[in-house]
Amino acid sequence: AQSVTQPDIHITVSEGASLELRCNYSYGATPYLFWYVQSPGQGLQLLLKYFSGDTLVQGIKGFEAEFKRSQSSFNLRKPSVHWSDAAEYFCAVGAVQAGTALIFGKGTTLSVSS
Amino acid sequence: EAGVVQSPRYKIIEKKQPVAFWCNPISGHNTLYWYRQNLGQGPELLIRYENEEAVDDSQLPKDRFSAERLKGVDSTLKIQPAELGDSAVYLCASQLQTTKDEQFFGPGTRLTVL
């Protein structure tokens, strides 16, 4: 079955500390992986995506993610969290070809403490 | 460039009433998706359009939900009659019909059924 698992429902990180959000996927075809962020009352904003090539991808707002095929993981990282990073983060997987609906994880809520 | 536009942003209705949501995708985007996001969950696909054709509606509860995308541009999603369990955020996304393009999401319509 195709699925995305985000093991952490809620994470609290101190401002300035590093962050890692976990994502594991199960997908029958070559995966196309995404991280989206959703602030309250807002739509989903793409942080980064992995299609092929370098397994470490850089995104917006200082985020990066590493694709590990052997572990079926695509973890999101940021070296220093800012208070404005508090939001909900979704990992998603889709097929490489266009016009394929994404399968989302249940999300991880990030709180940032001062 | 304008993003994906959705209206209304919020809707509160009594159960058994009808409701409709409207989406205007990014200009030139052939593919349009409707997703439903339940509280504490990631978005799940309801229906996908390629131009005016619904190419994946397997997850759409057809007894009460309907959708259309006349002229292959904007789209309407309807629920009639609404049930309590339909309370959710309804997200519209659009995508260019090419590989590697991201899906762009609208802000969503938050539906509350009382």
Side-chain angles (χ1 to χ4, degrees), chain A residues 4 14 16 18 24-25 33 35-36 38 41 51-52 55 59 65-66 68-69 73 78 81 85 94 98 100 105 111:
Chain A
V4 174
S14 299
S18 63
N24 293 95
Y25 68 91
L33 294 155
W35 275 99
Y36 281 88
Q38 186 176 39
F51 174 66
S52 65
T55 56
E66 186 172 12
K68 293 185 177 180
R69 185 183 299 275
S73 69
K78 186 170 184 178
V81 169
D85 294 324
T100 303
S111 297

Side-chain angles (χ1 to χ4, degrees), chain A residues 32 34 36 38 41-44 46 49 51 88 90 96-107, chain B residues 9-10 31 33 35 37 40-43 45 48 50 91 95 97-103 105-107:
Chain A
Y32 191 7
F34 303 80
Y36 281 88
Q38 186 176 39
Q42 302 298 314
L44 295 162
L46 181 70
K49 60 186 177 184
F51 174 66
E88 189 154 20
F90 292 94
V96 167
Q97 61 266 30
T100 303
L102 297 177
I103 298 171
F104 286 85
K106 293 185 177 182
Chain B
R9 292 293 310 278
Y10 304 91
T31 305
Y33 305 80
Y35 290 86
Q37 185 177 16
Q41 304 291 317
L45 179 72
R48 172 168 67 91
E50 297 289 347
L91 293 164
Q95 180 185 35
Q97 198 176 18
T98 60
T99 57
K100 306 183 188 180
D101 288 310
E102 67 178 276
Q103 296 180 26
F105 285 81

Side-chain angles (χ1 to χ4, degrees), chain A residues 1-110:
Chain A
Q2 299 172 345
S3 64
V4 174
T5 300
Q6 294 180 246
D8 303 306
I9 297 173
H10 191 185
I11 285 181
T12 299
V13 176
S14 299
E15 189 169 17
S18 63
L19 169 71
E20 182 170 27
L21 301 182
R22 296 181 291 166
C23 172
N24 293 95
Y25 68 91
S26 174
Y27 202 72
T30 301
Y32 191 7
L33 294 155
F34 303 80
W35 275 99
Y36 281 88
V37 61
Q38 186 176 39
S39 298
Q42 302 298 314
L44 295 162
Q45 181 185 20
L46 181 70
L47 287 175
L48 47 77
K49 60 186 177 184
Y50 173 76
F51 174 66
S52 65
D54 192 345
T55 56
L56 184 64
V57 293
Q58 302 297 319
I60 62 171
K61 305 184 180 184
F63 285 93
E64 66 177 27
E66 186 172 12
F67 171 61
K68 293 185 177 180
R69 185 183 299 275
S70 61
Q71 297 178 19
S72 298
S73 69
F74 189 55
N75 294 347
L76 181 71
R77 300 194 293 250
K78 186 170 184 178
S80 178
V81 169
H82 188 262
W83 63 267
S84 61
D85 294 324
E88 189 154 20
Y89 291 79
F90 292 94
C91 180
V93 65
V96 167
Q97 61 266 30
T100 303
L102 297 177
I103 298 171
F104 286 85
K106 293 185 177 182
T108 297
T109 300
L110 173 65

Side-chain angles (χ1 to χ4, degrees), chain B residues 57-76:
Chain B
D57 63 356
S58 57
Q59 302 303 311
L60 190 71
K62 298 182 184 61
D63 56 336
R64 297 183 300 105
F65 285 65
S66 63
E68 61 183 14
R69 191 184 184 198
L70 301 176
K71 302 180 182 178
V73 181
D74 54 351
S75 176
T76 302

